Amino acid sequence: MPSFKEMVEKYKKRRHDTVVDAVTTGLSLADNVTVDLGLLEDTGVATEIAETVSNVLPFAVIAVTEQCKVLLGKKTGAAGAGDAAYRMVKTGAAMGVGAAVTAAGAGAVVALPAAVSARVIMDRYRGYALMGHRVSLRTQRLKALNTARLSRTSAGE
């Protein structure tokens, strides 16, 4: 079992991914806002390219960063794929929330905080779910140890 210090270092490294994902999602939303506000002229091809790149950018960054971690040996392939999938779902949900807020007429200024809030809520839910799972596993282990202890003491009598 890892020590407390090792766990703190592990979770500090995860914050880096959250910042990268938030920045790329923010850039994507900023591009969509500039198009919606008319700051980017309707030049046709340039607008289409910018919109496509901004929608794909967060997912490409996630795929590249997770693959680098796998290639550098920091994660297994399965862990990298699972983390990439979760980060992509979280990013897609945040982008969807931001788009929905903008479309609802709340304004482009409200879209970015709404998207970041969606990411934070998903992270908290996952953290609580994982903590509950760890507590459940430790409770099962303690019950098994207690049962084994009781069977040894009753066999010795």
Side-chain angles (χ1 to χ4, degrees):
M1 175 175 260
S3 70
F4 178 74
K5 188 174 184 177
E6 291 170 341
M7 289 175 68
V8 168
E9 290 302 316
K10 179 181 176 183
Y11 287 110
K12 279 185 181 177
K13 290 178 184 175
R14 287 187 180 176
R15 289 184 196 159
H16 173 72
D17 294 338
T18 302
V19 171
V20 169
D21 293 349
V23 167
T24 56
T25 304
L27 289 173
S28 176
L29 287 172
D31 175 63
N32 291 334
V33 167
T34 57
V35 169
D36 290 344
L37 293 177
L39 299 176
L40 189 62
E41 293 295 322
D42 287 329
T43 58
V45 177
T47 305
E48 248 180 71
I49 290 172
E51 192 169 323
T52 302
V53 167
S54 73
N55 288 335
V56 173
L57 178 68
F59 302 104
V61 168
I62 291 168
V64 168
T65 56
E66 289 298 330
Q67 188 61 33
C68 284
K69 289 177 186 176
V70 170
L71 291 175
L72 293 173
K74 293 182 178 183
K75 288 185 179 183
T76 64
D83 289 348
Y86 175 71
R87 286 175 62 191
M88 287 182 184
V89 166
K90 189 169 59 169
T91 299
M95 290 172 70
V97 167
V101 168
T102 303
V109 177
V110 181
L112 189 58
V116 171
S117 297
R119 295 180 63 80
V120 168
I121 289 169
M122 289 182 75
D123 277 339
R124 286 202 177 163
Y125 175 76
R126 184 180 190 206
Y128 288 134
L130 290 174
M131 182 177 57
H133 180 67
R134 284 193 303 268
V135 168
S136 173
L137 291 176
R138 288 181 182 171
T139 303
Q140 289 175 2
R141 177 72 178 141
L142 285 173
K143 286 179 183 177
L145 288 171
N146 192 29
T147 304
R149 183 184 59 82
L150 290 175
S151 66
R152 271 196 314 262
T153 55
S154 64
E157 290 178 1

